[in-house]
Amino acid sequence: MPETRKYVDQWLRDAHAMEAQAETILEGQINRIRHYPALAARMKTHLEETTSQRERLEACMERRGTSTSGLKDASAKFTAMMQNLGGVFAGDEVVKGTLASYSFEAMEIASYRILAAAAEAEGDTQTAQLCNEICREEEAMADWLKEHMPNLTLAFFDRAKSDDTEAKR
Ligand SMILES: [Fe+2]
């Protein structure tokens, strides 16, 4: 099924660019968060997972004999950098960042579920397994964010009493 194979390769490249973007976004957020240690710690763990996901995708693509799209990765990183800059001056960055992170995780979960089904259809069980494995890591991150959202919001209100933007991060 050459058509199926073509799409799996294309979507693997998209997923790779998505993880490169996630790394940049997470690095930026972790560097700015000061007063939410649980959030920062969970993000650090997920950054390590994200780097490993990117590497596992690279190994997968190498095994399949396809390459990553350097151009796509570069533009994804640029978009992420701009997003990070956008967060620098926002007083409610922790809340907006949590919202954005949860949305990003939802996009990742959908991408890997689609990829797993496509790879299964192509007959590449190993790629399907990898995508399911990564999907579970994204689901765990999404669940954590969902569970902690109310408390993060309340913690933000506590800190929001200060006029200093730094104090709200
Ligand atoms: Fe990811």
Side-chain angles (χ1 to χ4, degrees):
M1 277 188 286
E3 192 73 1
T4 313
R5 183 177 174 81
K6 189 187 83 184
Y7 279 113
V8 172
D9 281 340
Q10 188 183 314
W11 296 343
L12 281 170
R13 276 196 292 277
D14 292 343
H16 186 269
M18 180 174 72
E19 296 305 347
Q21 185 180 11
E23 277 180 292
T24 307
I25 294 173
L26 284 165
E27 275 163 12
Q29 286 176 327
I30 291 163
N31 281 336
R32 288 190 303 277
I33 290 172
R34 294 277 173 275
H35 304 289
Y36 303 82
L39 178 64
R42 187 63 183 90
M43 281 184 160
K44 264 181 204 156
T45 306
H46 196 56
L47 174 59
E48 282 163 24
E49 276 171 351
T50 302
T51 302
S52 150
Q53 289 166 356
R54 180 177 51 71
E55 288 166 355
R56 276 176 278 165
L57 286 171
E58 281 163 15
C60 170
M61 290 159 96
E62 200 173 324
R63 179 180 57 78
R64 289 174 56 92
T66 182
S67 63
T68 65
S69 165
L71 198 67
K72 197 164 233 167
D73 283 11
S75 84
K77 281 196 172 183
F78 180 74
T79 310
M81 203 179 74
M82 295 311 283
Q83 267 172 273
N84 274 334
L85 281 176
V88 171
F89 304 108
D92 60 350
E93 188 193 354
V94 165
V95 173
K96 290 280 161 50
T98 305
L99 180 65
S101 299
Y102 188 79
S103 312
F104 201 95
E105 292 306 325
M107 181 176 70
E108 289 186 302
I109 290 164
S111 302
Y112 289 114
R113 281 188 68 80
I114 290 167
L115 251 173
E120 199 69 63
E122 189 204 337
D124 184 350
T125 314
Q126 225 177 311
T127 297
Q129 271 169 2
L130 172 66
C131 293
N132 283 323
E133 175 188 301
I134 295 179
C135 192
R136 282 191 291 274
E137 295 170 4
E138 313 296 16
E139 280 167 345
M141 182 61 183
D143 287 348
W144 191 96
L145 288 168
K146 191 175 174 185
E147 194 188 316
H148 290 79
M149 248 172 235
N151 281 342
L152 277 168
T153 308
L154 298 183
F156 168 72
F157 278 147
D158 270 350
R159 304 212 65 92
K161 289 167 199 148
S162 162
D163 287 334
D164 178 11
T165 304
E166 268 301 302
K168 296 173 192 166
R169 290 195 175 116

